[in-house]
Amino acid sequence: MIDDKVNEGLYTQELLEAKKSEHEMRVAKATNFEILRRTMVVTTRSRIRGTNTAISEREVAEAMVDAGLVVHVNDGRPVHIVIKFDDDEQDPWVWDRGMKQIRDALEELKHTGEDGKVDHVSLFPLAPIPLLVYLGSRLDDKLSVSLFDRHRGGQRNVWCWPKQPGASPTFQVLKQSSPGSETEVVAAVSVSGSISHGDLPGDLSSMPLITLSPMTGSPAPGLIGSEDTLDAFSQAWRQLLAEVEAHWPRATRLHVIAAVPASAAIRMGQHRMRDVHPGFIVYQRTDTGTYSATPEIQG
């Protein structure tokens, strides 16, 4: 193909040298065992909007190499736990069953890491937002977690974090209602899409509202395109939870409506302090564009 006259202008010397350098760098990362960190891989398989989604081993391997990680091997087998969400979103038991599957998978993960030889998890999440928030809330604080997000682009490195030049986007938290003694508050989180007041279910429209959105520009898919931006989002989400605690101290429930990528949904659950923050009721967007509540995240 390279030597074919038809491709003479395509396979230039510069392109081939760049490909060679990229390959050499990948091999160096994958074989430098002095710096590679062992990790337990957790992926999900789910039905989203009626479509089955899964993550291939090739995609995981590319992300591992890019991040300088190597899959932990236990009894000669790589530790790769798959959380399966195979039920349709319309099934009445889908959320309770999904939460049980998360608890079962994390219990398996706990037993695998009990020998103390590995304390790191690489998480590749792809599931409805309510289940991702719940998964984040159940992760053990003793584990160090690397989050990966699916990005648009080439098939091989679709789970690798892009190397974004320049400053990362920042986020702002705004209180749309006055502080008070209300026991229920609504949080609208607009990152990959916009959540407006008119989108809220009718029974939430009279509750205090607090929002999280980009500081500049509009919400859009791919806005969280780097780990730095994910950290900036996490900081803003922690600020939102602190604002709720300070201004609505009697709040026992936080109704969460979020348009966010999977990694951000995980972080939202991770930062819920069980003995401090209200219970989370996370809403799922339906095929008709409305939002329905899922079981409350407590404890």
Side-chain angles (χ1 to χ4, degrees):
M1 291 175 62
I2 295 171
D3 294 333
D4 193 318
K5 289 289 185 182
V6 176
N7 297 324
E8 202 171 68
L10 178 61
Y11 294 104
T12 63
Q13 178 178 335
E14 291 77 17
L15 175 67
L16 294 175
E17 288 178 346
K19 288 288 185 183
K20 180 181 178 181
S21 296
E22 179 187 2
H23 176 69
E24 289 173 344
M25 184 177 299
R26 289 178 64 247
V27 172
K29 285 183 177 180
T31 56
N32 189 349
F33 296 107
E34 291 184 357
I35 64 171
L36 288 175
R37 184 174 187 181
R38 290 191 302 163
T39 185
M40 297 180 286
V41 173
V42 178
T43 63
T44 62
R45 189 184 75 193
S46 63
R47 287 169 61 99
I48 301 178
R49 309 257 184 259
T51 302
N52 292 319
T53 62
I55 304 162
S56 71
E57 292 184 4
R58 174 66 183 273
E59 292 171 348
V60 170
E62 290 293 341
M64 292 289 96
V65 171
D66 186 71
L69 297 166
V70 63
V71 180
H72 176 59
V73 175
N74 188 27
D75 293 333
R77 298 175 57 187
V79 178
H80 183 173
I81 295 173
V82 182
I83 307 177
K84 301 173 183 178
F85 306 118
D86 294 331
D87 297 311
D88 191 279
E89 291 176 30
Q90 305 305 316
D91 294 336
W93 59 80
V94 61
W95 305 114
D96 289 327
R97 181 174 158 90
M99 290 175 174
K100 182 181 184 306
Q101 288 167 316
I102 288 171
R103 292 192 297 271
D104 291 345
L106 295 185
E107 191 65 25
E108 179 184 352
L109 186 67
K110 176 183 176 182
H111 289 315
T112 304
E114 277 183 345
D115 58 5
K117 295 179 181 178
V118 60
D119 61 354
H120 187 272
V121 173
S122 293
L123 181 55
F124 294 78
L126 203 59
I129 287 176
L131 290 176
L132 295 175
V133 176
Y134 182 75
L135 173 55
S137 73
R138 300 292 298 189
L139 288 172
D140 193 330
D141 294 338
K142 298 176 183 178
L143 290 173
S144 176
V145 179
S146 287
L147 276 174
F148 294 85
D149 226 335
R150 198 175 196 282
H151 305 281
R152 301 176 187 272
Q155 293 181 350
R156 192 186 73 192
N157 59 355
V158 70
W159 285 91
C160 300
W161 283 105
K163 308 299 186 286
Q164 282 191 333
S168 300
T170 54
F171 301 89
Q172 61 183 350
V173 174
L174 299 174
K175 295 183 293 296
Q176 306 293 340
S177 306
S178 301
S181 59
E182 290 85 352
T183 59
E184 302 192 49
V185 179
V186 179
V189 184
S190 303
V191 176
S192 54
S194 297
I195 306 293
S196 66
H197 191 275
D199 294 327
L200 303 180
D203 57 339
L204 303 185
S205 59
S206 61
M207 296 180 187
L209 175 65
I210 188 168
T211 64
L212 188 159
S213 60
M215 185 77 73
T216 58
S218 301
L223 186 66
I224 296 183
S226 71
E227 291 179 285
D228 287 343
T229 308
L230 179 59
D231 289 340
F233 169 83
S234 299
Q235 182 177 353
W237 175 248
R238 290 196 299 270
Q239 179 189 343
L240 183 149
L241 294 177
E243 296 276 2
V244 170
E245 185 181 358
H247 294 285
W248 295 284
R250 294 183 58 195
T252 57
R253 285 197 182 103
L254 183 65
H255 298 265
V256 180
I257 299 181
V260 295
S263 59
I266 295 288
R267 285 284 181 90
M268 290 169 70
Q270 279 185 292
H271 293 310
R272 179 180 178 270
M273 299 174 64
R274 297 175 187 174
D275 298 326
V276 176
H277 296 137
F280 285 5
I281 298 180
V282 186
Y283 287 70
Q284 172 71 359
R285 185 178 175 87
T286 67
D287 292 337
T288 60
T290 59
Y291 290 90
S292 61
T294 61
E296 184 174 352
I297 300 173
Q298 299 176 319

